[in-house]
Amino acid sequence: MNSSSSSVQLALLLSNSTSTETGLSVDLPKESFSDALAKNIVAVMVWLALSVINSSMVYTFLQHSVFYENSRYIMFICMVVNDALQLTLVTTLYVVSYVFRKIHVSICCLLIMTAVFTTRSTPLILAGMAVERFIAICLPLHYSHMCTVSRTIFLIGVILILTATPPITDLLITMIKEPPKFFHRAIFCDHSFLFSDPSIYYKNCVFDGVYLSFVALTLLYTYCKIMLTAQAASTSLASVRRARNTVLLHGVQLLLCMLAFVVPSLQAALISLFPQLVLEIRYIFFLLVYIIPRFMSPVIYGFRDELFRKYWTRYLSWPRQRVGGIRPGALKDAI
């Protein structure tokens, strides 16, 4: 599991060229204009719909202090912004791949590094959100001083530094190993072509293995502790059930994030069995790996969270109507 393997997946999903251009072992058949246009329209429409949803959620968050003064919602909106950035980037790459075969290395570098950054940020943000739910349910007396706004912002800063370190080191290694003229070339935009040094591959293997294992263990631990708290307190306690289900959905999100690391082998097997459907297979996996997981954040908090849904749906239904104040006990009920 590493960023190089996931970028090969992205190359196959986004490329519309032959194996001589992409370095992949499959020759992609020529796609008709109508099919290409239909797929691009679907991709853009999905991006547009999610962009409207994400924008309305960010707007709702910024309009009420009860949200931007709460660690839970700060972590959530960080996830929304990260998902929106990743979705915009992937959709742009998908559409641009139908126009350009190769792009300048400097532009490709910016796109690839941002894609790697947003992809790696998601699991760590999930871990932070799970820990926040664990503290709220299992350590409620310590919640007010453990989950402060300043500590949440500090945690987000640590996550950004951790996830930015691998792509920056990839760039530094490439700058040392490659001649200056390399950065003036036009290439097919893929991680394995841009950062081709073997040391980058092994470095990312170690990093991804460690941090994905850490996130998985964090989600497992918090889920088990919340389950034990539910049994010890009251299985009918609504807040405990919501927290348990939220952490469980975080686990589903993590599995969807990990699809980018395990799908290449599955896709290769399917293409070998159904070579005539290579374009359809790559498009389906594009939707499964990079589009559908972006719907999870609105579902987990936008629809399931009663407090946020109350004010978010008002903006969706009546965008010009001013939303009234929040009753004093609302924050307590949300936690």
Side-chain angles (χ1 to χ4, degrees), residues 166-200:
I168 290 176
T169 54
D170 290 349
L171 177 61
L172 293 176
I173 293 173
T174 302
M175 291 176 66
I176 294 173
K177 296 295 183 69
E178 297 289 347
K181 63 181 181 179
F182 171 77
F183 294 94
H184 299 283
R185 294 170 49 192
I187 64 171
F188 178 79
C189 194
D190 173 57
H191 188 284
S192 60
F193 293 167
L194 182 63
F195 304 123
S196 58
D197 190 82
S199 61
I200 295 177

Side-chain angles (χ1 to χ4, degrees), residues 156-172:
I156 293 174
V158 171
I159 291 174
L160 295 180
I161 293 173
L162 288 176
T163 52
T165 299
I168 290 176
T169 54
D170 290 349
L171 177 61
L172 293 176

